């Protein structure tokens, strides 16, 4: 029986058994009777370490026993374990040589919150988006087969990842090639429904036994000449399994199904894995785990404890976890959520769609108030976009709330199903720009670049909370595909006007007139250059739209200045600055243009402010870039400051 904790340890716990494990080979030296104690200590250390750094939480607690069993039975790193939904890999990191670095989790220069190949040989495949494990593991299996290498490959998929079509595409192909591949469906009740019990466990033990598998294979050979009898036996086995488990779908897809088993029963899991190692062909092991296992608050509310904030030092003596401090300004996702509810009251055509990002996208209240107009399609971004296209064909107005990085997964649907048909779909792109501790896999660094080349698409880049609300309204009222991009976190604290007004499509807003230099801002970096614009006496324009650009304003600006500076939290390659340059070039206007944005590199996890500073997008870096360029061009741009007399 696993220990259960009610509080986060505020000091490092004593872990004598875990102390013996620096890497998996040490784990395999333990007696199997020690594994349950190891699981308790690993879970307690995980609670402590995440309490110190913050980070993903519930999923890791749920796979402690499974992680131990996998590394105990399989000869890692030679055998490959491919994790899906990478935030469940914290226990894996602890027992694969990174325990002493857990205090650096998701910090600059520290451990990634996800598997990362450059970080450890035990991280066999980098993970950011979900549902990739079976495809990657099958690729490794085929490669090993080609190389005549007998290594084993295991894919661990769960936490909702089986809801994505990509997982089933891989399952279909694995069945076709019929190679040795073990897929573990970690069902933590966030995907497939629970199905446990004594009879189910009994049959699972039977199906995994050497006697049964030998009998099954011998029977196949004996019945080759009796096809009718063979079919009868196959159906009898199938019906027997379907009475006690959801085996039929996986069996029909060509997998040999085992389960469901209790994923917290280490003796049962290790025994089963030991037997399954030698079964030929694709195998599906279905285990039931509990997200947040061993920490009572997380068991009761797995959504709220998906991730944890750092322990507040003020509360160390009371041994309580801190709650995030209330911000004075709302998060952009909250601004979107409030707008969605207000818009739904005005227009009954509105239907909100999200691919498993209800909480993250700020749609909770909308889902509660308008349950019949809310569609969470699970982790299925491609389906979400084409679903919206289908709705738009019937004069419904869908709003797709999706992270910028996840829309990349539905790019073909965005072009083929929405834009080509010029359908009326609004995309609310959350997490545009850098995302801090989640790192490169989750950064919304490319949406301007990949959207602006698509015909019929309107692209809006609000600079604050109020513009976000007004541009969402503008996009909703526009007839055709439109996208509004906004970042993670809170804004500068702009006054949000309750009344919604349309902003003229493609019209920028000149905030300040200056000399020589014009700064064209696209998005929420605007507040970083207000003071700089005053100091350098520049023109400052909030462009608002990347597509269409305010062409008349650009022509006028280019004719009156000696340098144009574009600023965006998007890739410079193909971004808003490129759009400005392309337009002025098409008009035959020659003017130096300094494009400031994200460089052609993947930016690792760090504090968001540090990320911006590292690429020169903080006020200091922006000033340095402009100053250097003006120095090269011999343009005097500094506004003279008159000192007051002391007389």
């Amino acid at each position: 029986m696993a220990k259960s904790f009610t509080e986060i340890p505020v000091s490092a716990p004593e872990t004598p058994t875990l102390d013996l494990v620096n890497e998996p080979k040490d784990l395999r030296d333990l007696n199997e009777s020690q594994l349950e104690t190891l699981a308790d200590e690993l879970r307690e250390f995980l609670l402590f370490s995440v309490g110190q750094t913050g980070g993903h939480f519930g999923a890791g607690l749920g796979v402690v026993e499974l992680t131990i069993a996998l590394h105990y039975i399989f000869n890692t790193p030679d055998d490959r374990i491919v994790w899906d939904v990478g935030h469940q890999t914290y226990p894996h990191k602890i027992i694969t040589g990174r325990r002493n670095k857990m205090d650096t989790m998701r910090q600059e220069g520290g451990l990634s919150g996800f598997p990362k190949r450059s970080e450890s040989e035990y991280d066999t495949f980098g993970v950011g988006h979900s549902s990739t494990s079976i495809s990657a593991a099958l690729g490794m299996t085929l490669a090993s087969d080609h190389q005549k290498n007998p290594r084993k490959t295991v894919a661990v998929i769960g936490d909702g990842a089986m809801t994505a079509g990509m997982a089933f595409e891989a399952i279909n192909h694995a069945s076709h090639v019929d190679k040795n591949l073990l897929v573990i469906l970690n069902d933590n009740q966030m995907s497939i429904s629970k199905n446990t019990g004594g009879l189910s466990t009994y049959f699972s033990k039977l199906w995994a036994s050497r006697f049964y598998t030998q009998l099954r294979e011998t029977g196949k050979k004996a019945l080759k000449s009796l096809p009718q009898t063979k079919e009868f036996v196959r159906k009898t086995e199938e019906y027997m399994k379907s009475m006690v488990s959801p085996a039929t779908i996986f069996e029909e897809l060509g997998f040999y199904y085992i389960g469901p088993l209790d994923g917290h029963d280490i003796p049962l899991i290790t025994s089963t894995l030991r037997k399954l190692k030698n079964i030929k062909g694709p195998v599906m092991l279905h285990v039931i785990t509990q997200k947040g296992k061993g920490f009572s608050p997380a068991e009761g509310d797995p959504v709220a404890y998906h991730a944890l904030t750092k322990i507040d030092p003020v509360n160390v003596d009371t041994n309580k976890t801190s709650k995030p401090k209330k911000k004075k300004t709302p998060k952009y996702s909250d601004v979107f959520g409030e707008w969605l509810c207000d818009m739904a009251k005005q227009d009954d055509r509105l239907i909100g769609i999200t691919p498993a990002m209800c909480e993250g996208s700020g749609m909770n209240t909308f889902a509660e108030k308008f349950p019949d107009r809310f569609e969470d399609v699970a982790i299925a971004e491609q389906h979400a976009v084409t679903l919206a296209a289908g709705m738009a064909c019937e004069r419904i107005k869908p709003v797709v709330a999706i992270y910028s990085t996840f829309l990349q997964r539905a790019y073909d649907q965005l072009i083929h199903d929405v834009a080509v048909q010029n359908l009326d779909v609004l995309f609310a792109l959350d997490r545009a720009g850098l995302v801090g501790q989640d790192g490169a896999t989750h950064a919304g660094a490319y949406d301007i670049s990949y959207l602006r080349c698509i015909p019929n698409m309107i692209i809006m880049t609000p600079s604050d909370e109020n513009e976000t609300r007004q541009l969402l309204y503008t996009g909703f009222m526009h007839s055709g595909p439109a996208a509004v991009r906004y970042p993670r976190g809170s804004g500068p604290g702009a006054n949000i006007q309750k009344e919604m007004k349309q902003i003229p499509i493609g019209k920028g807003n000149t905030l300040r007139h200056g000399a020589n230099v014009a700064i064209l801002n696209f998005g929420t970096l605007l507040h970083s250059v207000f003071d700089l614009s005053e100091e350098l006496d520049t023109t400052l324009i909030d462009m608002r739209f990347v597509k269409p650009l305010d062409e008349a304003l650009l022509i006028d600006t280019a004719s009156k200045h000696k340098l144009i500076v574009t600023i965006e939290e998007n890739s410079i390659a193909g971004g808003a600055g490129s759009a400005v340059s392309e337009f002025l070039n098409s008009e035959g206007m020659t003017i130096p243009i300094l494009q400031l944005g994200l460089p052609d590199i993947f930016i690792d996890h760090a504090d968001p402010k540090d990320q911006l500073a590292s690429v020169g997008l903080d006020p200091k870096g922006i000033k340095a870039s402009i100053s250097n360029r003006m120095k090269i061009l011999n343009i005097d741009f500094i506004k003279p400051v008159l000192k007051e007399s002391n007389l």
Side-chain angles (χ1 to χ4, degrees):
M1 179 71 70
K3 282 186 179 179
S4 183
F5 301 90
T6 59
E7 297 176 331
I8 305 293
V10 294
S11 59
E14 293 186 4
T15 54
T17 306
L18 181 59
D19 293 344
L20 300 174
V21 179
N22 294 314
E23 52 186 324
K25 70 177 182 179
D26 302 325
L27 169 63
R28 292 189 282 270
D29 288 337
L30 297 178
N31 188 290
E32 196 162 336
S33 63
Q34 296 176 274
L35 298 186
E36 290 190 18
T37 300
L38 177 65
D40 289 336
E41 293 181 8
L42 177 55
R43 182 169 279 112
E44 188 173 12
F45 181 79
L46 177 63
L47 287 166
F48 165 71
S49 62
V50 179
Q52 299 301 301
T53 64
H56 298 110
F57 186 63
L61 288 173
V63 296
V64 167
E65 290 82 4
L66 179 60
T67 303
I68 290 172
L70 284 167
H71 284 290
Y72 192 73
I73 297 300
F74 290 93
N75 185 33
T76 55
D78 187 54
D79 288 338
R80 311 301 201 210
I81 299 176
V82 183
W83 294 92
D84 215 310
V85 190
H87 51 249
Q88 64 184 326
T89 57
Y90 286 25
H92 160 82
K93 290 183 182 249
I94 292 170
I95 62 174
T96 54
R98 288 168 278 182
R99 178 183 176 185
N100 293 334
K101 295 182 179 178
M102 290 299 290
D103 60 350
T104 70
M105 180 65 70
R106 303 171 80 232
Q107 299 173 32
E108 185 174 7
L111 295 180
S112 168
F114 303 94
K116 191 173 183 180
R117 281 172 53 83
S118 61
E119 188 177 289
S120 170
E121 62 180 332
Y122 293 95
D123 289 1
T124 59
F125 195 74
V127 181
H129 296 178
S130 79
S131 314
T132 59
S133 62
I134 304 177
S135 296
L138 180 58
M140 294 175 189
T141 298
L142 292 172
S144 297
D145 187 64
H146 179 73
Q147 297 162 350
K148 310 298 182 186
N149 191 320
R151 68 165 56 101
K152 307 294 183 181
T153 306
V154 182
V156 185
I157 185 168
D159 205 34
M162 190 62 90
T163 60
M166 182 177 178
F168 286 92
E169 292 175 18
I171 287 172
N172 181 64
H173 186 212
S175 173
H176 173 70
V177 298
D178 197 31
K179 300 296 183 182
N180 299 338
L181 173 67
L182 174 59
V183 175
I184 297 179
L185 172 56
N186 170 31
D187 182 358
N188 61 9
Q189 302 173 61
M190 306 299 282
S191 52
I192 298 177
S193 60
K194 185 177 181 180
N195 188 356
T196 57
L199 185 61
S200 172
T201 300
Y202 169 77
F203 277 118
S204 295
K205 289 180 178 179
L206 171 64
W207 294 330
S209 70
R210 181 178 300 177
F211 169 78
Y212 180 82
T213 53
Q214 288 179 345
L215 179 65
R216 189 172 185 263
E217 294 304 313
T218 303
K220 282 183 179 180
K221 296 176 182 177
L223 294 171
K224 277 186 177 179
S225 60
L226 300 170
Q228 291 180 333
T229 305
K230 177 183 176 183
E231 181 65 13
F232 171 77
V233 173
R234 185 192 68 80
K235 286 188 175 181
T236 300
E237 177 190 46
E238 179 181 302
Y239 294 152
M240 180 178 69
K241 286 184 176 183
S242 67
M243 286 190 297
V244 295
S245 72
T248 306
I249 184 172
F250 298 116
E251 293 276 8
E252 290 294 337
L253 288 169
F255 271 68
Y256 180 46
Y257 174 91
I258 303 293
L261 302 182
D262 180 356
H264 302 297
D265 186 336
I266 289 186
L268 176 61
I269 295 300
T270 53
S271 172
T272 303
L273 289 175
R274 190 175 285 114
K275 295 167 185 174
L276 294 181
K277 279 182 70 174
N278 299 312
I279 291 182
K280 303 297 182 182
V283 178
M284 175 75 69
L285 173 60
H286 183 175
V287 300
I288 303 294
T289 62
Q290 184 174 18
K291 193 168 185 176
K293 177 69 174 178
F295 184 60
S296 300
E299 291 177 353
D301 193 351
V303 174
Y305 282 90
H306 172 72
L308 190 72
T309 55
K310 294 181 183 180
I311 293 176
D312 188 343
V314 174
N315 292 326
V316 167
D317 293 336
T318 61
N319 198 29
K320 294 181 180 179
T321 57
S322 65
K323 295 182 180 179
K325 294 180 180 179
K326 292 184 178 180
K327 295 182 180 294
K328 296 180 180 179
T329 57
K331 295 179 179 179
Y332 281 100
S333 56
D334 296 333
V335 174
F336 165 73
E338 183 176 354
W339 169 83
L340 192 65
C341 290
D342 292 344
M343 196 69 243
K345 293 175 186 176
Q346 292 188 22
D347 195 326
D348 60 10
R349 297 178 304 151
L350 186 153
I351 290 183
I353 301 172
T354 185
M357 287 290 130
C358 177
E359 290 80 16
S361 294
M363 300 181 76
N364 306 57
T365 303
F366 175 80
E368 293 171 3
K369 290 185 176 181
F370 303 93
D372 295 336
R373 297 162 65 181
F374 171 68
E375 297 291 340
D376 186 340
V377 303
I379 303 174
E381 295 89 354
Q382 298 174 57
H383 170 60
V385 174
T386 303
L387 177 73
M391 289 181 176
C393 289
E394 301 301 327
R395 299 182 181 179
I396 291 295
K397 181 71 181 191
V399 177
V400 180
I402 188 169
Y403 290 8
S404 167
T405 184
F406 296 147
L407 184 58
Q408 294 164 189
R409 309 189 85 181
Y411 194 55
D412 178 67
Q413 289 71 26
L414 183 65
I415 295 173
H416 184 271
D417 299 336
V418 176
V420 168
Q421 304 183 88
N422 199 26
L423 292 174
D424 200 5
V425 180
L426 175 62
F427 295 91
L429 300 189
D430 200 343
R431 269 63 169 182
L434 300 176
V435 291
Q437 289 84 355
D438 283 343
T441 59
H442 284 58
Y446 312 107
D447 54 82
I448 290 177
S449 302
Y450 70 67
L451 287 175
R452 77 176 191 86
C453 61
I454 302 175
N456 295 328
M457 182 66 66
I458 302 294
I459 308 169
M460 291 165 275
T461 57
S463 59
D464 59 33
E465 302 93 329
N466 185 55
E467 275 204 351
T468 299
R469 179 177 174 87
Q470 305 308 329
L471 286 174
L472 283 165
Y473 180 72
T474 301
F476 185 87
M477 300 305 293
H478 171 72
S479 180
V484 181
R485 74 184 308 259
Y486 46 89
R488 181 181 188 176
S490 303
N495 180 44
I496 302 176
Q497 299 171 2
K498 190 69 175 176
E499 181 184 1
M500 293 182 282
K501 297 180 179 180
Q502 283 183 263
I503 294 175
I505 298 292
K507 292 298 179 183
N509 182 27
T510 302
L511 302 173
R512 185 182 188 282
H513 291 283
N516 296 327
V517 180
I519 298 176
L520 310 184
N521 174 77
F522 295 88
T524 55
L525 291 176
L526 179 66
H527 64 280
S528 297
V529 296
F530 270 124
D531 293 340
L532 178 63
S533 180
E534 285 282 346
E535 180 184 347
L536 304 182
D537 191 24
T538 74
T539 294
L540 180 60
I541 301 173
D542 181 13
M543 292 296 292
R544 290 176 168 165
F545 293 85
V546 177
K547 187 177 182 182
L549 289 167
D550 191 334
E551 296 180 353
L553 180 58
L554 284 178
I555 291 172
D556 182 66
T557 301
S559 66
K560 295 178 179 178
H561 296 81
K562 298 178 180 179
L563 172 68
I564 287 178
V565 179
T566 62
I567 298 178
E568 61 191 299
E569 199 171 337
N570 182 85
S571 170
I572 292 174
S578 294
V580 171
S581 180
E582 291 162 14
F583 170 72
L584 292 176
N585 182 62
S586 71
E587 294 293 309
M589 301 188 73
T590 302
I591 181 174
I593 298 177
L594 173 61
Q595 295 174 224
L596 301 181
L598 303 180
D600 191 26
I601 58 172
F602 291 112
I603 300 169
D604 279 337
H605 54 279
D607 182 272
K609 291 182 179 179
D610 292 334
Q611 285 184 318
L612 288 173
S614 72
V615 294
L617 288 180
D618 61 330
K620 181 179 178 181
I622 293 171
K623 179 180 179 180
S625 295
I626 296 175
S627 300
N628 290 339
R629 183 58 54 90
M630 294 307 296
K631 185 177 181 180
I632 292 172
L633 296 174
N634 293 317
I635 298 174
D636 180 18
F637 61 94
I638 297 180
K639 184 178 181 179
V641 178
L642 299 178
K643 295 183 179 180
E644 294 183 359
S645 173
N646 292 325
L647 297 177

